[in-house]
Amino acid sequence: MHSIIVHLVKNKAGDLSDLNNYIAIALSPVLSKLFEGVLTRFLGSDSTVDNSQFGFKAGHSTSLCTNVLKQTVDYYSSRGSYVFACFVDFQKAFDKVDYWKLFLKLLDDGIEEKIVKILAFFYSNQICFVRWKDVLSTGFKLGNGTRQGGVLSPFLFSKIH
């Protein structure tokens, strides 16, 4: 339940003093991924992922999605139709999830109470540290958000939105 946040430079040629030139990555123990993998079986998350979803799904990728979009636009525009599109940026969306609302939603969806209690314990006891160069901060608790890179995170995010 412990994570270490490290910062990676987005553009090495850019301004290294600009905070927007860094991306924060949370490193979690392999045991967390194994634990989430076991919970996946109880949640049925593999079978409940939307068929139209491309990211975070075996055999699919965002580049596959981009290709489908391009082919669809080409199909309609070559036949004289206009194509209108809307894009939503979910870049920070995982961080904003209120996981207590999420747990209530899981209970409403019929997920076994014991599994939801395990998830509630897991999420409410997360401790995070920040590493900058060779210095590690003191730990702090996280109050919301799904785990970045977590096995269950795409499933949990889809449940709340």
Side-chain angles (χ1 to χ4, degrees), residues 16-34:
L16 297 181
S17 65
D18 181 6
L19 293 177
N20 294 318
N21 193 24
Y22 291 87
I23 185 167
I25 304 291
L27 305 174
S28 299
V30 172
L31 193 55
S32 291
K33 291 191 184 245
L34 291 172

Side-chain angles (χ1 to χ4, degrees), residues 60-73:
H60 292 73
S61 69
T62 53
S63 58
L64 178 62
C65 179
T66 303
N67 190 38
V68 169
L69 175 65
K70 184 180 180 304
Q71 287 181 6
T72 303
V73 169

Side-chain angles (χ1 to χ4, degrees), residues 97-155:
V97 171
D98 179 337
Y99 50 73
W100 295 109
K101 286 182 183 177
L102 168 66
F103 301 142
L104 291 174
K105 177 80 168 100
L106 291 173
L107 290 170
D108 288 345
D109 286 352
I111 300 297
E112 197 174 329
E113 184 178 338
K114 291 176 190 176
I115 301 300
V116 176
K117 283 183 177 180
I118 290 170
L119 280 171
F121 179 82
F122 185 64
Y123 270 86
S124 64
N125 288 289
Q126 296 179 95
I127 304 290
C128 204
F129 301 84
V130 176
R131 184 173 70 205
W132 184 258
K133 302 199 180 209
D134 294 327
V135 179
L136 192 64
S137 74
T138 56
F140 57 92
K141 285 192 149 202
L142 300 176
N144 60 307
T146 58
R147 296 172 65 87
Q148 294 288 340
V151 175
L152 287 174
S153 293
F155 168 75

Side-chain angles (χ1 to χ4, degrees), residues 27-86:
L27 305 174
S28 299
V30 172
L31 193 55
S32 291
K33 291 191 184 245
L34 291 172
F35 174 71
E36 287 187 58
V38 170
L39 286 180
T40 299
R41 294 183 179 268
F42 292 99
L43 294 170
S45 64
D46 288 337
S47 61
T48 57
V49 173
D50 190 296
N51 286 334
S52 301
Q53 180 176 324
F54 285 87
F56 309 109
K57 189 174 174 183
H60 292 73
S61 69
T62 53
S63 58
L64 178 62
C65 179
T66 303
N67 190 38
V68 169
L69 175 65
K70 184 180 180 304
Q71 287 181 6
T72 303
V73 169
D74 287 348
Y75 176 85
Y76 286 103
S77 61
S78 69
R79 287 163 175 75
S81 293
Y82 293 105
V83 178
F84 299 95
C86 176

Side-chain angles (χ1 to χ4, degrees), residues 7-19:
H7 296 83
L8 303 176
V9 177
K10 292 180 187 177
N11 179 5
K12 291 181 182 180
D15 182 2
L16 297 181
S17 65
D18 181 6
L19 293 177

